[in-house]
């Protein structure tokens, strides 16, 4: 990030944490190459040794895919950390301002949840970096799981305390919440943060061999997963009511598609729980059930992508905030749905269609569907680089910058 006064510095919003989140999400999209293309017998995820073995024995296509994954994971994990560090420093400065006090007494208070959301994503991204680049990590992984659970619980407590501040304020005194400014899905951000904590807490359920660790992981991830679902349902229903009345807030248009990352994250949470139930408690799911579960999630995602695209195009959002001179921190919310769709497609193709025997792995049908996941990923890489230049580069027209809501 540059040191001169960029748009992000002069009009700071906690939504800039979404820049860190997007980079973390792209780290995951590159890990999908390794997860589903590199053989990892006896382990739920590929580790350094598996990847090296596949690179040594694989053909040029496999080697190219592994090199792309290595570069992508290293680059976007570094960008994720850099952006997180920048945001934490900027947020500390922002807390001293009158703008922060105003934020704490408005609907926008929930934008503060972007911080624990990004933090939880960073822990997930660092775990991927460990798996991919650290030799021998799997031999000590059982010691890491309790530490990971503690880290995610602490982030979860941070998120819950921010939600408590907000709900305590708006539910204890009348008129504290502005329904006319609720005309978007911006209020689903707390649900997204809770789901990200939940998916982190569910990882040991899928990977640990200790029944106690799996059990604790299942119970804790269920709590945060259910909290996310309840919050999302209430915020979405009230948000739709406000949008029908007042139209969608133009700057918050991208939030219409927040349902997409929410369903991907919750989908992975439930898949990890299923795996834990299967290995530790002999609860078995048929491949066809997993396929239809993922198909239903994908259906929800496509519908909300269509809804979001319809509104954004009508409001000419891209003309102004992506390709134009106007700037809004909320435009980083566009990255999450594309990233989430890419990841969900990988899961649907591999854990759904291939496992159920609908298509053959590495066949023509497989690659034509996987091409959609890679296309979404490449589009989002382009978007992240474009937005970073726009928001963190030297401002072309200082006058054109608008403060983010």
């Amino acid at each position: 990030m540059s040191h001169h006064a960029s748009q992000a510095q002069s009009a700071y919003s906690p939504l800039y944490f979404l820049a860190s989140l997007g980079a973390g999400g792209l780290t995951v999209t590159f890990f999908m190459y390794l997860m589903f293309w590199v053989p990892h017998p006896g382990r739920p995820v590929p580790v350094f040794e598996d990847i090296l073995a596949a690179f040594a024995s694989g053909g040029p296509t496999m080697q190219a895919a592994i090199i792309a994954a290595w570069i992508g994971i290293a680059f976007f994990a570094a960008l994720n950390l850099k952006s997180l560090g920048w945001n934490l420093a900027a947020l500390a400065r922002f807390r001293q301002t009158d703008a922060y006090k105003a934020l704490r007494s408005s609907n926008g208070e929930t934008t503060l949840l972007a911080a624990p959301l990004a933090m939880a994503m960073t822990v997930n991204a660092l775990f991927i970096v460990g798996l991919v680049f650290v030799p021998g990590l799997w031999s000590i992984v059982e010691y890491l799981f309790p530490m990971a659970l503690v880290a995610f619980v602490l982030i979860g407590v941070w998120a819950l305390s921010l939600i408590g501040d907000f709900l305590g304020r708006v539910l204890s005194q009348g008129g504290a919440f502005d329904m006319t400014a609720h005309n978007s899905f911006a209020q689903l951000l707390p649900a997204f943060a809770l789901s990200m904590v939940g998916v982190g807490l569910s990882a040991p359920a899928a990977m640990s061999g200790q029944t106690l660790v799996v059990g604790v992981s299942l119970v804790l991830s269920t709590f945060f997963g259910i909290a996310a679902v309840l919050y999302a349902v209430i915020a979405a229903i009230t948000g739709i009511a406000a949008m029908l009345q007042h139209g969608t807030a133009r700057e918050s248009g991208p939030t219409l598609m927040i349902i997409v990352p929410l369903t991907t994250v919750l989908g992975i949470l439930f898949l990890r729980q299923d795996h834990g139930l299967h290995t530790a408690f002999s609860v078995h799911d048929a491949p066809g059930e997993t396929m239809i579960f993922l198909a239903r999630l994908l259906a929800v995602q496509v519908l909300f992508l269509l809804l979001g695209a319809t509104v954004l195009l009508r409001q000419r959002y891209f003309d102004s905030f992506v390709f134009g001179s106007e700037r809004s921190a909320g435009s980083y919310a566009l990255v999450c749905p594309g990233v989430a769709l890419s990841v969900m497609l990988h899961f649907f193709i591999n854990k759904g269609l291939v496992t159920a025997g609908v298509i053959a792995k590495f066949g023509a049908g497989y690659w034509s569907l996987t091409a959609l996941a890679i296309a979404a990923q490449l589009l989002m890489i382009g978007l992240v680089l474009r937005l970073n230049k726009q928001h963190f580069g030297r401002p072309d027209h200082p006058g054109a910058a608008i403060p983010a809501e």
Side-chain angles (χ1 to χ4, degrees), residues 63-135:
Q63 291 178 336
I66 290 173
I67 289 169
W70 272 335
I71 294 169
I73 289 167
F75 178 80
F76 284 106
L79 188 61
N80 165 274
L81 282 171
K82 187 178 181 182
S83 182
L84 183 74
W86 181 90
N87 268 288
L88 289 169
L91 181 62
R93 288 193 300 272
F94 180 61
R95 282 203 175 104
Q96 314 303 318
T97 65
D98 291 337
Y100 176 74
K101 290 191 191 75
L103 186 77
R104 291 300 302 244
S105 58
S106 73
N107 292 16
E109 185 175 5
T110 49
T111 59
L112 293 169
L113 267 297
L117 168 62
M119 187 73 83
M121 173 55 99
T122 297
V123 179
N124 284 321
L126 287 175
F127 197 72
I128 286 175
V129 169
L131 289 175
V132 174
F133 294 112
V134 180

Side-chain angles (χ1 to χ4, degrees), residues 31-202:
F31 183 65
M32 293 293 102
Y33 295 9
L34 305 173
M35 175 84 182
F36 295 121
W37 303 345
V38 168
H40 43 95
R43 273 189 282 260
V45 287
V47 296
F48 176 81
E49 288 77 8
D50 298 319
I51 300 160
L52 221 54
F55 189 81
S57 62
T61 327
M62 174 66 92
Q63 291 178 336
I66 290 173
I67 289 169
W70 272 335
I71 294 169
I73 289 167
F75 178 80
F76 284 106
L79 188 61
N80 165 274
L81 282 171
K82 187 178 181 182
S83 182
L84 183 74
W86 181 90
N87 268 288
L88 289 169
L91 181 62
R93 288 193 300 272
F94 180 61
R95 282 203 175 104
Q96 314 303 318
T97 65
D98 291 337
Y100 176 74
K101 290 191 191 75
L103 186 77
R104 291 300 302 244
S105 58
S106 73
N107 292 16
E109 185 175 5
T110 49
T111 59
L112 293 169
L113 267 297
L117 168 62
M119 187 73 83
M121 173 55 99
T122 297
V123 179
N124 284 321
L126 287 175
F127 197 72
I128 286 175
V129 169
L131 289 175
V132 174
F133 294 112
V134 180
L137 186 78
W138 201 252
S139 61
I140 57 154
V141 80
E142 291 294 351
Y143 298 101
L144 298 178
F145 291 140
M147 288 159 61
L149 289 172
V150 169
F152 281 113
V153 165
L154 290 173
I155 297 169
V157 169
W158 178 20
L160 287 170
S161 71
L162 288 171
I163 292 169
D165 286 347
F166 172 69
L167 290 180
R169 178 174 66 79
V170 299
L171 296 178
S172 62
Q173 55 192 62
F177 187 79
D178 183 1
M179 278 305 285
T180 57
H182 183 33
N183 52 339
S184 72
F185 276 173
Q187 294 299 330
L188 269 78
L189 191 61
F192 191 11
L194 292 170
S195 71
M196 191 63 78
V197 171
V199 79
L201 287 168
S202 69

Side-chain angles (χ1 to χ4, degrees), residues 325 327 394-401:
S325 58
R327 296 178 181 90
R394 196 183 296 278
D396 312 321
H397 316 287

